[in-house]
Amino acid sequence: MAKDTVKNTARDTDRVLIFDTTLRDGEQSPGATMNVAEKLAVAKQLARLNVDIIEAGFPFASPGDFEAVQRIAAEVGTPNGPTICGLARATKGDIEAAAKAVAPAANGRIHTFLATSDIHMKYKLKKSRADVLAMTGEMVAYAKSFTDDIEFSPEDAGRSEPDFLYQVLDRAIAAGATTLNIPDTVGYLTPTEFGDLIRGIKANVSNIDRVVISVHGHNDLGLAVANFLEAVKAGARQLECTINGIGERAGNAALEELVMALHVRRQYYNPFFGLPAESEAPLTNINTKELYKSSRLVSNVTGMLVQPNKAIVGANAFAHESGIHQDGVLKNRLTYEIMDAQLIGLNNNLIVLGKHSGRNAFRTRLGELGFELSDQELNKAFLRFKDVADKKKEISDRDLEAIVNDETLQIAEHFKLELIQVSCGSNATPTATVTLLMPDGQDLTDAAIGTGPVDAIYRAINRVVQIENDLIEYSVQSVTAGIDAMGEVTIRLQQGERIYSGHAANTDIVVASAYAYVNALNRLYTASQAGESIHPQKEKIPVGTGV
Ligand code: KIV
Ligand code: ZN
């Protein structure tokens, strides 16, 4: 069969396409909102990871969302780079916004969706089956008038009546869809059911062999990855997933788990691709050595921590990472390990730099770790490195990564922390004094007492900034082992319905706590100025939009 001319719509491939939706579905999880600079940094990392398609956002949501997709399309969507995709509900306004936002990419895709389950059609869309069929045809055709690469998703396919689903998919193909994505929107299906759903589609939808079958699924029952792997066996060739599995509610299928399952167990999966079991050809295009770094970056910018026992990227996933030195006990590492940590880019925490390391050594090591910094970013990061190296003798790759992320992923500093002083101890009342540079250029100082040093600092900051919020999560993790390790503080605070995260790293965890709090307040302040974003799945489709 002739290959398509449009990138990443080739059918019958002997590998699966990895469609990353961290920046769209991942960002829809409460508190995971990223700003444009952070989204660009994640998109660049996804390009290094070599994902096939990046779903960069929902451009109609707000001017900020539109700008992020457009910049990613321009800067990351190079001819050899990933396809850049924008999400659109089945309305003309959404489709036009998505088309415009992805236009600068060498390979752009519009992904439009419409619910097909009875419960969604009745209560959310308030539309009949006939309406939904007609809208599918009209809106896919409308999207096709902008670009050839069109993905269509029947939302809540997992709970849709199969015969109606087949009709909708028929209609989408006839109107020009090149990828049909089958979402288990509420994470309801079991692996066998998901496999059967894909088989049913292959058997009952006309011209299904002209399109790529994709799967999308949420992890409400913890089955998303298992479901996808069954779907692959049934013929799905595009997997929609997120780094660390972040996403709505219990999240999406985790990219790193899917990729490593298909890599480590390729002898099992090869025959489903028509390959001999012993074939060594990779089943995805992913550069697995970038997995760990991608996980750390996404966790840092979203404030969504990775649980220690998380498969592939959790701190305990590899025994030596959790500090258990088994070498003396076990003669063969493979007794308890099915994959090498180096495969996902874990380098056993090498100690590479110290107090006397110069700028060149610093720049070179960052380059080796895959960080591309501007001169200005490099200067900032180097100053911070020197500061940390004064306090901590040995600087590992993990420390470097924490320093670079902390210094280069700064968000707009409406409030700037200028001074923190704390006194506490067994017989003292914890007391903090803080000075902040305010948005109007004034320096304001205030002090407070608290139950502990962090509480005192947060109360003092609150007295200065006067922004009502509730701290709903506070966590400290050490970047490396050792008494002089840097601490990373991640917090989440809530104002009304919305959650904001903050993150900072420092050898002094009290100082890191203060910076993390100010970081979250800055996000809150930026969001309050930018206005609300529309949620693609929960907001009503506007009337009078041409459908
Ligand atoms: O979960 C879902 O159904 C989605 C669609 C927009 C594809 O995210
Ligand atoms: Zn989803």
Side-chain angles (χ1 to χ4, degrees):
M1 180 184 301
K3 295 267 184 202
D4 294 77
T5 45
V6 182
K7 196 179 173 192
N8 294 329
T9 55
R11 304 174 299 271
D12 275 348
T13 57
D14 47 12
R15 66 179 178 89
V16 292
L17 298 167
I18 296 295
F19 175 110
D20 181 278
T21 183
T22 306
L23 294 170
R24 197 279 295 173
D25 216 339
E27 208 216 8
Q28 281 174 219
S29 63
T33 315
M34 295 168 248
N35 62 31
V36 176
E38 289 169 333
K39 286 184 184 175
L40 253 178
V42 171
K44 287 181 182 169
Q45 178 56 28
L46 292 173
R48 282 191 285 269
L49 186 61
N50 218 17
V51 304
D52 300 287
I53 302 115
I54 295 177
E55 185 163 53
F58 171 44
F60 192 79
S62 71
D65 289 86
F66 180 90
E67 188 200 338
V69 178
Q70 200 175 43
R71 284 197 54 195
I72 291 169
E75 294 181 36
V76 186
T78 56
N80 292 325
T83 294
I84 307 299
C85 175
L87 183 72
R89 294 168 299 179
T91 74
K92 285 192 168 175
D94 277 32
I95 290 169
E96 282 158 21
K100 209 164 158 193
V102 301
N107 298 289
R109 173 180 295 187
I110 300 172
H111 173 193
T112 187
F113 73 99
L114 189 59
T116 50
S117 64
D118 288 338
I119 185 167
H120 274 233
M121 289 188 292
K122 181 167 177 196
Y123 294 104
K124 184 175 102 162
L125 298 179
K126 299 187 174 42
K127 304 251 180 235
S128 67
R129 287 187 176 188
D131 292 335
V132 165
L133 258 181
M135 282 168 78
T136 302
E138 280 171 38
M139 289 303 111
V140 170
Y142 188 60
K144 195 77 177 177
S145 68
F146 295 98
T147 178
D148 276 338
D149 188 349
I150 304 298
E151 174 168 328
F152 173 75
S153 295
E155 191 190 8
D156 205 16
R159 293 189 300 170
S160 299
E161 197 272 309
D163 284 331
F164 176 61
L165 180 65
Y166 304 149
Q167 284 178 45
V168 171
L169 296 177
D170 265 350
R171 196 64 72 93
I173 295 177
T178 40
T179 298
L180 288 185
N181 177 47
I182 310 303
D184 180 16
T185 303
V186 290
Y188 180 70
L189 297 184
T190 64
T192 308
E193 287 171 328
F194 210 175
D196 287 345
L197 176 62
I198 303 302
R199 270 183 282 274
I201 289 169
K202 283 192 83 166
N204 292 289
V205 175
S206 351
N207 295 321
I208 191 70
D209 55 336
R210 290 196 190 162
V211 301
V212 174
I213 301 180
S214 165
V215 284
H216 178 108
H218 288 264
N219 208 23
D220 299 65
L221 295 174
L223 294 173
V225 168
N227 284 348
F228 278 30
L229 293 171
E230 275 310 294
V232 167
K233 286 162 64 181
R237 289 296 177 264
Q238 175 180 287
L239 306 180
E240 299 204 355
C241 43
T242 60
I243 302 290
N244 299 334
I246 67 167
E248 293 271 18
R249 305 181 308 279
N252 286 67
L255 181 149
E256 60 280 358
E257 294 177 22
L258 289 163
V259 167
M260 292 313 288
L262 289 169
H263 181 79
V264 173
R265 299 304 313 278
R266 57 189 183 278
Q267 293 195 340
Y268 173 77
Y269 289 103
N270 278 336
F272 298 100
F273 288 80
L275 299 168
E278 63 281 5
S279 164
E280 289 290 318
L283 295 178
T284 72
N285 237 354
I286 294 298
N287 175 3
T288 61
K289 294 218 152 116
E290 293 289 334
L291 284 172
Y292 183 71
K293 198 159 144 235
S294 308
S295 163
R296 295 282 301 153
L297 177 64
V298 168
S299 175
N300 282 348
V301 298
T302 59
M304 308 281 291
L305 294 176
V306 174
Q307 78 205 50
N309 58 326
K310 162 86 176 62
I312 316 295
V313 290
N316 295 354
F318 293 92
H320 71 90
E321 280 301 302
S322 60
I324 304 162
H325 295 284
Q326 301 176 340
D327 298 1
V329 186
L330 297 172
K331 293 286 168 270
N332 185 340
R333 189 178 51 80
L334 297 181
T335 318
Y336 279 103
E337 274 183 23
I338 58 165
M339 56 196 147
D340 187 338
Q342 293 191 3
L343 209 51
I344 65 147
L346 263 174
N347 55 15
N348 218 355
N349 213 7
L350 291 178
I351 292 156
V352 285
L353 299 178
K355 190 174 164 163
H356 300 295
S357 305
R359 214 185 153 74
N360 269 344
F362 179 71
R363 183 204 298 269
T364 306
R365 188 62 196 153
L366 288 186
E368 284 163 4
L369 291 174
F371 288 106
E372 294 161 19
L373 303 192
S374 66
D375 286 347
Q376 202 191 358
E377 287 171 334
L378 191 86
N379 286 346
K380 267 181 93 183
F382 185 65
L383 285 178
R384 182 72 188 284
F385 160 73
K386 280 292 183 194
D387 185 45
V388 175
D390 269 344
K391 297 176 185 138
K392 187 175 186 299
K393 268 209 319 268
E394 297 161 331
I395 307 286
S396 70
D397 287 345
R398 294 272 194 91
D399 293 319
L400 287 181
E401 173 196 270
I403 291 169
V404 171
N405 285 340
D406 216 39
E407 286 302 313
T408 60
L409 291 173
Q410 292 291 350
I411 60 154
E413 282 192 298
H414 308 287
F415 305 107
K416 193 161 185 249
L417 195 54
E418 305 225 296
L419 173 125
I420 318 156
Q421 244 170 3
V422 190
S423 87
C424 60
S426 56
N427 286 329
T429 302
T431 311
T433 306
V434 297
T435 301
L436 282 113
L437 180 62
M438 301 295 283
D440 63 4
Q442 268 192 85
D443 267 341
L444 288 186
T445 299
D446 214 325
I449 57 170
T451 53
V454 175
D455 185 42
I457 289 179
Y458 285 15
R459 284 174 192 274
I461 292 174
N462 283 345
R463 288 172 69 95
V464 172
V465 300
Q466 308 264 342
I467 293 179
E468 291 244 340
N469 71 82
D470 293 311
L471 182 69
I472 55 171
E473 206 176 304
Y474 170 88
S475 117
V476 194
Q477 283 185 325
S478 116
V479 174
T480 55
I483 194 78
D484 63 349
M486 282 212 284
E488 279 184 316
V489 174
T490 305
I491 65 151
R492 283 150 79 79
L493 53 84
Q494 185 162 13
Q495 189 190 55
E497 298 275 282
R498 296 192 65 173
I499 295 174
Y500 304 88
S501 67
H503 179 269
N506 200 288
T507 46
D508 182 329
I509 57 167
V510 174
V511 173
S513 303
Y515 279 109
Y517 191 51
V518 174
N519 182 259
L521 289 171
N522 278 320
R523 284 172 197 275
L524 188 160
Y525 191 86
T526 305
S528 67
Q529 289 186 322
E532 292 290 314
S533 279
I534 294 173
H535 189 293
Q537 290 164 274
K538 294 186 185 145
E539 208 80 20
K540 270 212 278 230
I541 291 188
V543 278
T545 49
V547 286

